[in-house]
Amino acid sequence: MAARAAGELTTGLADPVVTATRILRAFGDQTVLDGVDLRIGRGEVVALLGGSGSGKSTLLRILAGLDSGATGEVSTRGRTGVVFQEHRLLPWKRVTDNIALGLRGSDVPGRTAAALAEVGLADRGRAWPAELSGGQAQRVALARALVREPDILLLDEPFAALDALNRLRMQALFGRLRAEHGFAALLVTHDVDEALLLADRTLVLEDGRIVEDTAVTLPHPRAADHPGFGDLRRNLLTRLRVPTSPDES
Amino acid sequence: MTADVRAPALPAERTRSARGDRPRRSPGPRRWRRAVTPVLIVVLWEGAARLGILPPEKLSPPSDVLSVGLRLTLDGTLGLHLLHSLLRAFVGLAVGGVLGLALGALAGLIRLGDDLVDPTVQMARMLPHLGLVPLLLIWVGIGEPLKISLVALGAFFPIYLNTYTGIRGIDERLVEAARTCGLSAAARVRHVVLPGALPSLFLGVRLAFGAGWLSLVVGEQVNAETGIGFLMMEARDFSQTDVVVLGLLIYALLGMLSDFGLRVAERRALAWRQGLQAS
Ligand SMILES: Nc1ncnc2c1ncn2[C@@H]1O[C@H](COP(=O)(O)OP(=O)(O)OP(=O)(O)O)[C@@H](O)[C@H]1O
Ligand SMILES: [Mg+2]
């Protein structure tokens, strides 16, 4: 309870950008989401953890409005951006055109170029997606979401397919962009360290419900050797039923 | 001194130039080597005709074919017949192509369209369309509509099938990503579905051209009064073997040219795949 209160204090859940209530989703007779309640405050980064097949992607797709088979209520305020595990860039559009896809308003080229520069790829605008490395493609996908100036960014294991070094770089980039733009985010991840490095709050999904909701009150910039990090990590791993030391297994 | 620095990085190149070999495998010699056999065949053909081994009424020598080609070009006959053949091909391909594209898109994009159109087309596809000539003769007579409908029928099926499979083969995840970028259904078709189906569509168009030329050859031998096929049939009546061979060459040339043009267009339109193939 104490953790929950702290979370509300720091992020203002009184003004949520996402409110989901009693989300139910079943595939055939398999109930995947069994009454999920979720709120994300303005500017808050929430990490969503859970075992494989626990329904994290399903929940994210529902929040993104991509799943018409769910019941319950979802309301999002403001613009939404989505980044998937695979970059999902259109192979037949150059990087710039991928970022500008469906973009409206004034100075689309300028905004596109700015977004590309923000992810460190200012000079790759003319490239085809097939000419990019995995890490670069994922950064373009991030730019495609960012250029829409989202109030809430939904990310489904966005860095999971990258190698360890690229993952660290992307996490740092994400932290920097977040500090700059102040978007809220729901970050689906398998990686407990990533969750604790980036999130203001961690949720654990199990048996179709959110069973754990913990504020991460560590100060920024965070590092894995920060005092207090280890405790949070151990708690989270226990909650995910992962043995934290070899003799526990 | 410089050689010492470069040596470890480019050992292969150094040994090769030291031996005085060609620095790179150039395409030149290979291209010429590939031309050897066709040239040899033409030379043998000409020689056999000159020596009287090939009777000219069975197969005219290449030189005769060339000279008759020149003569018919200069007096304008060839141009006129070629124009008529091309017109038939163009109209037939356009009619069959547009129909194939429209129905393929309808069946590929809309479930109701799929149910109403696809099973029927799949069944009709099994009919050999050149075998329909007797029926078409009864329906549309022996005039231009017969030739055009044969070409159109030949072009329709490859374009329909490849449009349909191209659209069906689109990665659903890309469509979903486009939705998250705020694209409407129509915009998703324009930016995701059509470009994604384009490689398949190009294959369909190339097959359609092949089938179209074939249909034209058959169609023009049925009571035509103009066209390359007519020229050949008329020449056969007068035992002008050189004109018959000329007609065959022109058909082959038309097929080659259209295929070449389509390849160039394809390479331009699908430039994004170059990187894909390289990686
Ligand atoms: N379209 C679908 N049809 C049928 N079952 C589905 C479908 N999508 C998801 N599921 C099922 O729903 C459950 C949750 O899937 P989901 O992809 O949300 O899991 P996840 O938590 O994202 O797992 P992971 O961490 O491995 O990505 C799984 O058991 C999966 O088999
Ligand atoms: Mg998932």
Side-chain angles (χ1 to χ4, degrees), chain B residues 62-63 74 82 97 130 132 146 153 163 172 198 200 202 204 220 222:
Chain B
S63 51
L74 290 179
L82 188 60
L130 292 177
L132 291 178
L146 172 73
L153 272 173
T163 307
E172 198 52 45
L198 205 57
S200 179
F202 261 110
E220 287 194 332
V222 181

Side-chain angles (χ1 to χ4, degrees), chain B residues 156-172:
Chain B
F156 172 82
F157 290 101
I159 294 201
Y160 171 88
L161 289 172
N162 285 284
T163 307
Y164 180 80
T165 45
I167 290 175
R168 282 300 156 111
I170 297 284
D171 187 347
E172 198 52 45

